[in-house]
Amino acid sequence: MDEETRLIRKGSQPAGLARTVNPPIQRGSTVLMPNAASLYDDTQMSYGITGLSSPAALQQALAELEGSPDVTLYPSGLAAITGAMLAVLKAGDEILVVDSAYKPTRRFCDRVLTRFGVQTTYYDPALAPEALMALATPKTRLILLESPGSLTFEMQDIPAIAKVANDRGILTLIDNTWAAGLYFKPLAHGVTISVQALTKYVGGHSDCFMGSATTMDIVIGNQLGDAMWDIGWSVSPDDAYTMLRGLRTLATRLPRHQDNGLAIARWLQDRPEVSRVLHPALPGDPGHALWKRDFSGACGLFGVVLRPCSQRAVHAFLDNLELFGLGFSWGGYESLAIHCDPQLKSRTAAPVNLEGPLLRLHIGLEAVEDLKADLDQAFEKLV
């Protein structure tokens, strides 16, 4: 063969791969089939979009975390939520969505699903299961849950809602990112589809996007996989490797987030600038009993309601933070803070009327005393 051909062909199949702790990263779109008959054999992997070694390893590990037979991967947490909905919904369906849901989820329901003939009804997260089911119609196909809720951290009685929904033949889907699949097991509590943004705690380092969806129902599991193919979602092998690396230390990192978060939350409860702290793991929180019954732990994300003050004062407080970054997302090793009031305006089923401005804090892995000192000096600017 000519040298040009030899340079292209040689080295593509190494003699053997050493056994390493982590799986090898395979980068490839084309998958070479063993023979012509295999080209259209759907039982074989035929294209790289389905995921090669590192995505397959991540799926296997996540299935262990979720207690499920299989996991579908998506390029972001939002894609996991929207992808799971697209997999099970059709024109003419109706869905019930908790009013405290992640804002981009609402945007998808309002902008996209309506265009395809799916009607969304938002419901108060405080509704009892029976009251929630009173909103359902014969066309209701899906109930979207989130517990604790985004920004305001309301707890829902997930097992009870899942039971009454299952009795009516209605599917349930939960955004379980707060518990990271570790501190709450939705599928074991009767939820149909468990979704999480792996971007947050599974990744753990604020440098990679991905989401997952999983179910115990074989038919729905096939629908999730088919939709992934039909729409063309894929995750890169390098990102899957990064996520798998983060997953390995999840059970070590999350308890530190919990301990740091609770320490800061309790400290904030005693601050004169704070009206109350929204954290279901705190005794006295309206959702504490449900959290204690169903969850095995808490993460580092919670809300803080300040005493009445101006937006200028809130901005001054945030702008003077040094260890807390000002940014969306959460779940990484670093502490973050945002002002939530602009997002609360989208709530419709249960308008939020708080006594003061709402902040959301993510408590990272820094030393607690350093975080307290940073908050303390920033409170001096809250005037």
Side-chain angles (χ1 to χ4, degrees):
M1 289 187 290
D2 186 87
E3 185 176 44
E4 291 181 350
T5 303
R6 296 200 310 274
L7 290 176
I8 288 174
R9 307 292 295 191
K10 295 299 181 182
S12 61
Q13 295 295 326
L17 293 174
R19 184 182 179 191
T20 56
V21 172
N22 294 304
I25 296 176
Q26 288 179 289
R27 299 183 183 92
S29 54
T30 299
V31 174
L32 298 176
M33 309 304 289
N35 51 55
S38 300
L39 287 169
Y40 297 98
D41 181 356
D42 291 338
T43 64
Q44 296 194 47
M45 181 182 295
S46 59
Y47 197 53
I49 197 173
T50 59
L52 302 173
S53 58
S54 50
L58 177 60
Q59 288 172 296
Q60 184 181 43
L62 287 171
E64 184 71 22
L65 176 70
E66 298 274 5
S68 63
D70 193 19
V71 170
T72 302
L73 299 176
Y74 303 83
S76 70
L78 179 60
I81 295 172
T82 61
M85 286 196 282
L86 288 174
V88 299
L89 296 174
K90 65 182 185 306
D93 284 342
E94 297 178 1
I95 60 173
L96 298 173
V97 176
V98 64
D99 207 25
S100 57
Y102 178 51
K103 186 178 178 181
T105 300
R106 298 181 70 105
R107 187 173 62 222
F108 176 78
C109 293
D110 296 341
R111 292 185 184 179
V112 179
L113 289 184
T114 53
R115 298 199 338 252
F116 292 94
V118 176
Q119 179 180 325
T120 300
T121 297
Y122 295 100
Y123 66 89
D124 186 342
L127 283 184
E130 296 76 15
L132 173 57
M133 293 310 298
L135 299 177
T137 75
K139 294 183 178 180
T140 301
R141 171 66 171 162
L142 176 72
I143 299 174
L144 192 145
L145 311 157
E146 188 169 335
S147 185
S150 287
L151 304 180
T152 43
F153 299 92
E154 300 94 339
M155 292 294 296
Q156 296 183 262
D157 191 338
I158 301 300
I161 294 173
K163 183 180 186 307
V164 294
N166 289 336
D167 290 345
R168 290 272 296 271
I170 298 173
L171 307 180
T172 49
L173 182 156
I174 188 170
D175 181 343
N176 193 40
T177 304
W178 192 87
L182 187 69
Y183 287 151
F184 180 64
K185 306 291 185 180
L187 302 183
H189 287 84
V191 176
T192 314
I193 303 171
S194 174
V195 172
Q196 63 167 312
L198 305 177
T199 307
K200 307 299 196 290
Y201 281 116
V202 171
H205 292 78
S206 303
D207 59 359
C208 192
F209 293 98
M210 201 171 296
S212 66
T214 186
T215 181
M216 296 299 291
D217 188 299
I218 295 176
V219 173
I220 293 174
N222 289 335
Q223 290 177 316
L224 294 174
D226 289 344
M228 182 275 293
W229 263 107
D230 294 341
I231 297 178
W233 282 298
S234 65
V235 302
S236 81
D238 297 83
D239 287 349
Y241 183 94
T242 299
M243 283 297 170
L244 184 60
R245 185 171 61 183
L247 181 63
R248 301 304 191 198
T249 62
L250 177 66
T252 302
R253 289 182 286 107
L254 211 53
R256 176 65 180 267
H257 283 289
Q258 171 182 253
D259 293 346
N260 282 7
L262 285 171
I264 296 296
R266 295 186 184 107
W267 179 79
L268 286 168
Q269 284 182 311
D270 295 330
R271 293 288 308 197
E273 304 89 349
V274 173
S275 175
R276 55 193 167 110
V277 176
L278 309 180
H279 194 318
L282 290 175
D285 185 272
H288 181 70
L290 288 174
W291 173 84
K292 188 174 182 179
R293 185 192 70 187
D294 296 336
F295 285 61
S296 60
C299 69
L301 190 76
F302 59 88
V304 180
V305 182
L306 300 175
R307 296 194 184 279
C309 61
S310 68
Q311 178 175 284
R312 189 167 70 88
V314 174
H315 286 183
F317 168 80
L318 293 172
D319 290 343
N320 278 275
L321 289 168
E322 296 176 359
L323 294 181
F324 285 80
L326 306 184
F328 295 97
S329 196
W330 41 274
Y333 55 83
E334 77 288 3
S335 293
L336 298 170
I338 64 169
H339 183 209
C340 302
D341 289 3
Q343 295 191 60
L344 298 179
K345 297 175 182 178
S346 63
R347 298 275 287 265
T348 54
V352 179
N353 295 307
L354 300 174
E355 58 272 27
L358 175 63
L359 304 179
R360 187 185 72 185
L361 300 182
H362 174 255
I363 308 303
L365 303 179
E366 302 93 343
V368 167
E369 294 306 314
D370 291 334
L371 295 177
K372 289 179 181 178
D374 191 31
L375 291 166
D376 186 59
Q377 64 84 24
F379 273 128
E380 295 178 5
K381 307 296 182 180
L382 189 72
V383 293

